Amino acid sequence: MATPLLKPGPDSASQAVEPTSPVAHFGADEALAMDAGVDLAPWQIAYQTAGTLNEARSNAVLVCHALTGDQHVVNTHPVTGKPGWWDRLVGPGKPVDTDRYFVICANVVGSCMGTTGPASLNPATGRAYGLDFPLVTIRDMVRGQAMLLDRLGIKDLFLCIGGSMGGMQVLQWAASYPERVFAAMPIATGARHSAQNIAFHEVGRQAILADPNWHGGRYLDVGTRPAKGLGVARMGAHITYLSEPALHRKFGRRLQDRDAPTFSFDADFQIESYLRHQGITFVERFDANAYLYLTRAMDYFDLAADHGGVLANAFRGTRTRFCIMSFTSDWLFPTADSRAIVHALNAAAAPVAFVEVESDKGHDAFLLDEPAMISAAKGFIAAAARERGL
Amino acid sequence: MSVTASLAPAGLPQDATGSARIDHLVMLNLVEPGSRVLDVGCGDGSLLALLRDRRGVDGRGIELSREGVNACLAHGLPVIQGDADTDLAAYPDDAFDYVILSQTIQATRQPKEVLEHLLRIGQRAIVSFPNFGHWRVRSELLLRGRMPVTDTLPDPWYATPNIHHCTIRDFVGLCRLVGARIERASALDASGHPMRFALPWWVWNLVGTQGVFLLRRG
């Protein structure tokens, strides 16, 4: 007897429409021009800030969140009640020091924490967009963030930083708006999504599409949620964020609350129980359609393809200072992916630093307490601040 | 052997050099102000920082150790954690005015290929290395029959990162093999000072503790 995944809760749905954070609204005349060929209007973007913008407006830092992240980078999450997702790196006295810098983190277009996405109301129908929402790209996310910065009166960023999908946004920022990015720090990421990563995403999407409660993407209309499908998608993805040594250290083959196997499909092993928990809690805070759209955005990302197949062309003539970081046990975005970015930046004669952090925690290492990551980030950011006169 | 000029003005004033290493100061004098420099095996970045501060150089580095990379980052130096044996291939031709390989060539797996990359990536290459032809090294082997441990070769044989030792004479041979033209060359004596240029080559090979070469594609 399998433990049932959680019943749909109201929280993520309410955050999608009425987030507990500031929101910038853009009207019919301020459409977001999307790569899919659609002018999205009206639309909105939800964000959080920390710290104070200085008089010269030169100390702004944009933090870009990962696939299932959100704008709550340093503040308590409104749904889970947990501390900010990057409070190890961002905060008072941290490498991204909110006592010195003005930190902005916005929920990306296509997500479900207050920025317009498939869970938002479609003004044309009065219902949630569902699959009527246009496909989103990383470039669309970045365009949306740029419009938010314009609205906030921020001409350029001192630093653009993010991991995983957030790192893709950092790379896209540096390519799309080189003059607006003084320093860039893409972490545990790649300039394109690999075939293996697309394959994992496809498994997750198929789990959602196969859930009878998905209803062709119209589940919000009928008051159901494809919780099982989304939970399974999260369970699969979660494995890719970890590493075998980390899993072994944490769980091994230990049994959960029992001395012997039950000879059933119950969650006998601790790792099973852990994954089920991950699936259940994820469903509480995330929208299934948003998961489809954001995984697709990562799949489509290929910065070299956008520049004639030569990644270096994406950074031609850039004056942005880069610091690239990877983790030894990250098999989702292995060090080779980071090296490809470094090589392209070398070919473009860009100032680039690269650090490979020794860690057995897998892809998730960038979110965890990794002293080597934190000290390297501190060194790079502090030196960039000196150069910027901050 | 066609060594055309000595490296540094003899008797570099000590007080003007601060705490900088003398071999670094010798290299400083080889680099044109405002040029682009890649320092391969840059350690904690002290040479890069010196080049930036004294010569206005746009410097980059490659360093294997995380400690070294972190020290460089803290000094605002763009340094890549990587390996000279594998990473140089990724750099385009003529990307830098100078590529520096300071006390590193003897620790590479493929010194010949590394030297060829240096000459491809940089207009000029600057290479320094501990001279295995130094008389102390020779006498340790000859008289005591032991692998030498000296100031420039401080590690015991079982713990040394150096796998391809060479003498100044050997290095000149390698330069010839890869078609590198030696523009300037020098040997440093036991106190790290450049030796007099007028000395014959075999003296450098015997009493020089380090060789420093400025090279150009043939």
Side-chain angles (χ1 to χ4, degrees):
Chain A
M1 191 183 71
T3 310
L5 290 167
L6 191 83
K7 291 197 300 285
D11 286 340
S12 70
S14 65
Q15 286 293 318
V17 184
E18 284 180 6
T20 46
S21 62
V23 176
H25 296 274
F26 293 87
D29 55 338
E30 296 169 296
L32 177 69
M34 298 177 75
D35 282 345
V38 176
D39 284 338
L40 184 67
W43 70 284
Q44 67 181 49
I45 184 164
Y47 64 97
Q48 289 281 6
T49 67
T52 312
L53 189 63
N54 65 13
E55 214 159 285
R57 297 175 176 258
S58 61
N59 67 336
V61 173
L62 180 69
V63 177
C64 301
H65 69 72
L67 176 67
T68 61
D70 47 49
Q71 65 272 42
H72 305 291
V73 60
V74 276
N75 55 285
T76 304
H77 196 281
V79 179
T80 64
K82 286 185 177 168
W85 56 266
W86 224 2
D87 70 339
R88 287 178 175 84
L89 208 75
V90 185
K94 306 284 169 64
V96 180
D97 190 346
T98 48
D99 289 338
R100 297 181 65 190
Y101 314 126
F102 179 60
V103 173
I104 308 144
C105 185
N107 188 220
V108 296
V109 175
S111 191
C112 53
M113 289 295 283
T115 301
T116 305
S120 307
L121 287 182
N122 182 349
T125 63
R127 301 185 305 173
Y129 273 103
L131 295 197
D132 293 336
F133 198 73
L135 258 285
V136 178
T137 65
I138 300 291
R139 197 157 49 184
D140 293 334
M141 297 173 186
V142 166
R143 232 179 254 131
Q145 290 162 344
M147 289 174 76
L148 171 64
L149 292 188
D150 291 342
R151 175 68 63 85
L152 296 175
I154 294 165
K155 199 161 78 39
D156 60 350
L157 294 166
F158 157 58
L159 173 70
C160 189
I161 184 170
S164 199
M165 187 182 86
M168 290 178 168
Q169 294 161 54
V170 175
L171 293 171
Q172 187 67 60
W173 259 100
S176 295
Y177 309 102
E179 73 290 349
R180 295 187 78 169
V181 185
F182 184 81
M185 206 166 166
I187 304 174
T189 193
R192 62 176 182 188
H193 216 217
S194 70
Q196 178 174 286
N197 291 354
I198 295 170
F200 280 122
H201 274 176
E202 175 62 2
V203 172
R205 282 191 295 264
Q206 287 301 329
I208 293 168
L209 302 182
D211 189 317
N213 282 338
W214 184 63
H215 291 293
R218 289 257 138 253
Y219 53 87
L220 290 175
D221 297 347
V222 293
T224 64
R225 302 282 288 283
K228 283 187 177 174
L230 182 59
V232 169
R234 176 61 172 183
M235 288 166 77
H238 199 81
I239 300 168
T240 70
Y241 302 152
L242 306 174
S243 70
E244 207 285 323
L247 279 177
H248 181 78
R249 189 179 58 233
K250 214 165 163 182
F251 307 105
R253 290 182 51 85
R254 287 190 295 279
L255 301 178
Q256 178 76 35
D257 304 329
R258 66 204 68 182
D259 301 323
T262 59
F263 293 94
S264 74
F265 294 109
D266 210 348
D268 281 2
F269 293 100
Q270 284 183 8
I271 177 62
E272 295 174 310
S273 158
Y274 170 78
L275 281 181
R276 289 180 190 194
H277 173 76
Q278 288 296 330
I280 289 164
T281 53
F282 183 59
V283 168
E284 289 170 16
R285 69 174 176 88
F286 217 81
D287 173 63
N289 283 338
Y291 193 83
L292 298 179
Y293 276 81
L294 297 185
T295 54
R296 208 69 187 133
M298 288 182 80
D299 292 352
Y300 281 155
F301 187 62
D302 186 348
L303 200 50
D306 296 343
H307 291 84
V310 180
L311 186 56
N313 289 343
F315 307 112
R316 192 70 64 199
T318 186
R319 298 186 64 187
T320 303
R321 294 144 183 78
F322 290 85
C323 181
I324 316 285
M325 201 180 281
S326 71
F327 298 89
T328 48
S329 56
D330 184 349
W331 55 286
L332 203 58
F333 290 97
T335 290
D337 287 9
S338 283
R339 283 201 185 279
I341 301 167
V342 171
H343 293 159
L345 287 165
N346 278 334
V352 51
F354 167 67
V355 187
E356 183 183 31
V357 174
E358 184 89 36
S359 165
D360 76 348
K361 294 176 188 150
H363 181 62
D364 261 359
F366 82 93
L367 294 169
L368 304 172
D369 187 22
E370 283 289 355
M373 166 183 78
I374 288 164
S375 71
K378 200 162 197 148
F380 173 74
I381 294 167
R386 279 199 306 276
E387 288 173 58
R388 176 98 164 166
L390 292 176
Chain B
M1 285 174 207
S2 59
V3 177
T4 51
S6 77
L7 282 175
L12 216 58
Q14 279 279 39
D15 47 357
T17 63
S19 58
R21 275 165 47 182
I22 295 167
D23 60 328
H24 284 179
L25 293 167
V26 170
M27 294 195 184
L28 191 66
N29 282 315
L30 295 175
V31 173
E32 295 281 335
S35 48
R36 286 173 47 77
V37 173
L38 177 68
D39 186 356
V40 182
C42 62
D44 64 1
S46 51
L47 176 60
L48 278 175
L50 196 67
L51 287 164
R52 178 189 62 190
D53 299 341
R54 301 263 194 100
R55 286 284 185 275
V57 154
D58 178 10
R60 311 289 159 83
I62 299 178
E63 170 58 29
L64 201 53
S65 76
R66 187 168 52 75
E67 295 73 21
V69 173
N70 275 357
C72 292
L73 286 178
H75 289 110
L77 298 163
V79 168
I80 290 163
Q81 188 171 18
D83 186 336
D85 277 303
T86 51
D87 286 6
L88 291 175
Y91 284 83
D93 297 358
D94 292 314
F96 291 90
D97 298 313
Y98 300 88
V99 183
I100 295 177
L101 193 64
S102 170
Q103 303 285 325
T104 301
I105 195 166
Q106 75 282 357
T108 63
R109 289 187 295 281
Q110 298 183 299
K112 176 172 166 284
E113 285 72 12
V114 166
L115 186 59
E116 283 168 341
H117 276 307
L118 300 191
L119 295 162
R120 179 184 65 77
I121 297 165
Q123 294 285 334
R124 290 187 171 85
I126 299 172
V127 182
S128 78
F129 55 90
N131 174 27
F132 211 71
H134 188 261
W135 68 270
R136 273 188 194 280
V137 173
R138 296 193 202 190
S139 63
E140 287 264 306
L141 262 178
L142 181 69
L143 301 177
R144 301 181 62 200
R146 303 180 67 159
M147 285 301 282
V149 176
T150 66
D151 287 346
T152 45
L153 301 168
D155 306 304
W157 66 272
Y158 52 82
T160 177
N162 302 327
I163 52 179
H164 283 120
H165 283 301
C166 69
T167 68
I168 288 177
R169 187 178 289 260
D170 286 330
F171 185 75
V172 170
L174 182 61
C175 290
R176 192 166 294 163
L177 186 67
V178 302
R181 199 167 78 228
I182 299 169
E183 287 205 333
R184 302 169 87 177
S186 183
L188 306 186
D189 65 20
S191 58
H193 286 95
M195 295 166 64
R196 272 180 46 225
F197 163 65
L199 290 170
W201 191 255
W202 66 266
V203 177
W204 283 18
N205 201 29
L206 189 63
V207 299
T209 58
Q210 301 179 46
V212 184
F213 285 73
L214 176 67
L215 308 172
R216 174 163 224 155
R217 245 167 276 163

